[in-house]
Amino acid sequence: MRRAELADFLRRRREALHPSRMPASAVHPPGPRARRTPGLRREEVAALAGVSTSYYERLEQARAPRPSPQVLSALGTALRLTDMEREHLARLAGQIPPSTDADQAPVPADALRLLHRLGPFPAYVVNDLEDIVAWNSTAAALITDFGQMPAHERNTVRLAIRLGGTLCSAPVGAEGDFARQSAAHLRTAGARHPADRALGELVNEYAAHSPDFVAGWRSHDVHLRPTLRKRLHHPELGELELDRQTLLVPGTSLRLVLYTADPGSPSATALAGLGPADGAP
């Protein structure tokens, strides 16, 4: 059980629930003083979950014993957690054991076949640590020649740190989205692999580089967005506005990332002629 992280996660999710989104019967009526907490009060969450206020307070103070699966389910309902957030909560509470060597698992053969059949769409596969473990030739032509990089540098976070200023940027209104999404991915990975030193080093490295990552990490948000808008700067094709789409590889913690452009756009035309028919990297 990771008491400090569990406490932080519960507090962040409680503070994110605005009283106006809750049934009137679940929220205490306003008193003579203004509500000081940015979200629900602890006693309100405790009542919704059917636990005592003192027990819930101890959970947020990292002083309570491990909650039962029934209590976790009730807290998930009270805090309106998504399925992914419920799984994260269960991992922090020690109800789901840590994963072992998931980042070293081979890419399934059917995922590799899909990767290389995507044709003109740049795509790669990443593991929990954001390491790029497989890619197609179009991705190498669009981003960089991954095969010529040291394995530890073949990582989306480290690429963002080292090449972010020249490789890509965010369209107006999407600033910081990649950094915050990386924080969500790594938060989730940290619950799966709590003893992974390489993961901790990666978090510290990106935190020193990106205030947006720090904000995302502190928010303890584990919501994973399937699509991010990116603006890539290609030396031959110029500026491309693309959607970075992420798909989970079933039965694994791997993710397939591919880049697409709006149909009929200049970026789509440029992307279609980027590379030849694909082969193995």
Side-chain angles (χ1 to χ4, degrees):
M1 177 175 171
R2 308 180 71 181
R3 283 186 171 83
E5 289 193 45
L6 175 63
D8 183 58
F9 180 69
L10 289 172
R11 180 172 61 84
R12 298 288 185 178
R13 297 286 71 77
R14 174 177 61 81
E15 291 177 346
L17 273 181
H18 195 275
S20 63
R21 295 174 51 199
M22 307 300 294
S25 60
V27 180
H28 292 177
R33 292 185 298 176
R35 176 181 288 264
R36 291 181 295 175
T37 180
L40 294 184
R41 297 185 175 103
R42 289 173 174 171
E43 58 267 29
E44 290 168 339
V45 173
L48 287 169
V51 300
S52 70
T53 299
S54 63
Y55 175 72
Y56 183 77
E57 287 177 344
R58 291 198 303 274
L59 280 174
E60 282 203 12
Q61 295 165 355
R63 296 191 299 110
R66 176 185 296 179
S68 68
Q70 293 79 9
V71 168
L72 291 180
S73 178
L75 288 172
T77 301
L79 294 170
R80 298 192 172 187
L81 302 185
T82 64
D83 289 344
M84 183 165 289
E85 288 171 331
R86 284 173 181 264
E87 178 182 336
H88 186 70
L89 177 66
R91 288 186 182 277
L92 294 180
Q95 297 292 350
I96 300 177
S99 302
T100 57
D101 299 327
D103 55 312
Q104 301 299 326
V107 182
D110 55 349
L112 286 174
R113 285 193 293 271
L114 173 62
L115 177 66
H116 298 302
R117 288 174 181 170
L118 284 171
F121 297 107
Y124 52 81
V125 176
V126 295
N127 63 15
D128 266 348
L129 269 68
E130 300 293 333
D131 295 323
I132 299 170
V133 295
W135 60 92
N136 63 19
S137 60
T138 318
L142 176 69
I143 301 172
T144 189
D145 188 351
F146 301 115
Q148 298 301 312
M149 301 176 66
H152 72 281
E153 294 292 331
R154 203 180 297 144
N155 178 283
T156 62
V157 168
R158 291 197 170 99
L159 283 172
I161 294 172
R162 287 159 178 71
L163 302 178
T166 57
L167 175 66
C168 62
S169 60
V172 175
E175 298 86 352
D177 280 0
F178 175 80
R180 288 187 290 270
Q181 185 69 157
S182 295
H185 281 301
L186 294 180
R187 270 289 191 187
T188 304
R192 290 196 186 106
H193 312 284
D196 195 314
R197 293 180 59 185
L199 178 59
E201 292 171 359
L202 189 62
V203 168
N204 290 336
E205 190 174 347
Y206 204 15
H209 169 79
S210 170
D212 288 312
F213 177 84
V214 173
W217 184 264
R218 287 177 176 169
S219 74
H220 216 133
D221 181 12
V222 295
H223 176 66
L224 305 181
R225 294 174 54 188
T227 303
L228 295 175
R229 182 58 64 101
K230 300 280 287 184
R231 185 173 289 155
L232 272 73
H233 313 292
H234 193 273
E236 298 174 2
L237 303 179
E239 189 171 275
L240 306 174
E241 190 153 308
L242 306 173
D243 287 323
R244 181 184 187 267
Q245 299 175 313
T246 303
L247 306 172
L248 297 176
V249 178
T252 75
S253 59
L254 300 170
R255 302 186 306 280
L256 175 69
V257 179
L258 67 153
Y259 289 83
T260 62
D262 292 334
S265 66
S267 294
T269 301
L271 204 59
L274 184 60
D278 201 10

